[in-house]
Amino acid sequence: GDADIYMLVAANVIKGCGVAISAVESTTCIPHFGGNQGPGYPLFIALNWLFFENSNFATRFTQTIIVCLSIIYFVAALEKFFKSKNTAIVVGVIIAISPCAVAWSRFIQTETLSLAGTLWLFSELLLSVKNRELRVIGISLALIFSSFIRLDAIALVIPICFAAFSVY
């Protein structure tokens, strides 16, 4: 059900109707805001469709690449934090083969990009604590990205506060 809504909103974005849940053939644009989804995922789909001729495979492939890159970044942050390449690699492999990373990438759902944003944010937090300096730009961008995909990602403010108290 959610994938159909995301694709409908993406089609409306491409049509020029904006973030709307109207039928694509409709002349009116009914604004869409519902549940815990932000406009980021339909915009992500729309961009993939624009570049790859309405290919859902391209959307799945692109989100898989993004989550893989976020896992690599997280592993690099873990390696710096723990000063142990082996620990970082083991954690990275566990994340990479976990159902969260593997299963969700096959679907047109927000979970894959949500995981990528969360890993990006926690990477920034680990590096902040390690360097004893809050990485404000990286943390901000990761939180914006995550909350643009899923509105419930705003709860990531809690670990940000803990990291800020730990650093300062």
Side-chain angles (χ1 to χ4, degrees):
D2 287 349
D4 294 335
I5 293 171
Y6 299 139
M7 290 189 285
L8 177 62
V9 174
N12 278 315
V13 167
I14 291 172
K15 174 185 156 191
C17 195
V19 181
I21 198 156
S22 321
V24 179
E25 313 80 40
S26 174
T27 57
T28 60
C29 297
I30 302 166
H32 173 61
F33 183 84
N36 62 356
Q37 61 226 25
Y41 196 66
L43 291 175
F44 174 76
I45 295 170
L47 283 172
N48 275 281
W49 284 358
L50 283 173
F51 289 116
F52 303 107
E53 301 175 4
N54 290 358
S55 170
N56 287 333
F57 173 79
T59 301
R60 291 182 194 103
F61 185 76
T62 306
Q63 70 187 13
T64 301
I65 295 298
I66 291 171
V67 80
C68 287
L69 291 173
S70 70
I71 292 171
I72 291 168
Y73 187 57
F74 186 68
V75 167
L78 278 174
E79 183 180 357
K80 289 178 184 173
F81 186 79
F82 288 118
K83 297 179 185 170
S84 170
K85 188 174 188 174
N86 291 338
T87 302
I89 289 173
V90 167
V91 172
V93 167
I94 290 169
I95 293 171
I97 64 173
S98 77
C100 290
V102 173
W104 285 113
S105 296
R106 299 178 300 152
F107 301 105
I108 303 290
Q109 298 290 338
T110 59
E111 281 75 4
T112 302
L113 291 185
S114 181
L115 174 64
T118 303
L119 287 171
W120 177 17
L121 178 74
F122 277 98
S123 301
E124 295 295 335
L125 295 179
L126 283 171
L127 294 171
S128 293
V129 171
K130 169 73 174 124
N131 297 333
R132 306 293 296 159
E133 180 182 356
L134 210 56
R135 298 168 54 104
V136 176
I137 301 293
I139 291 169
S140 300
L141 291 174
L143 183 61
I144 290 168
F145 173 83
S146 297
S147 60
F148 201 55
I149 300 298
R150 289 183 59 99
L151 300 178
D152 57 357
I154 199 68
L156 293 170
V157 166
I158 296 167
I160 293 171
C161 291
F162 280 112
F165 282 118
S166 175
V167 168
Y168 297 112

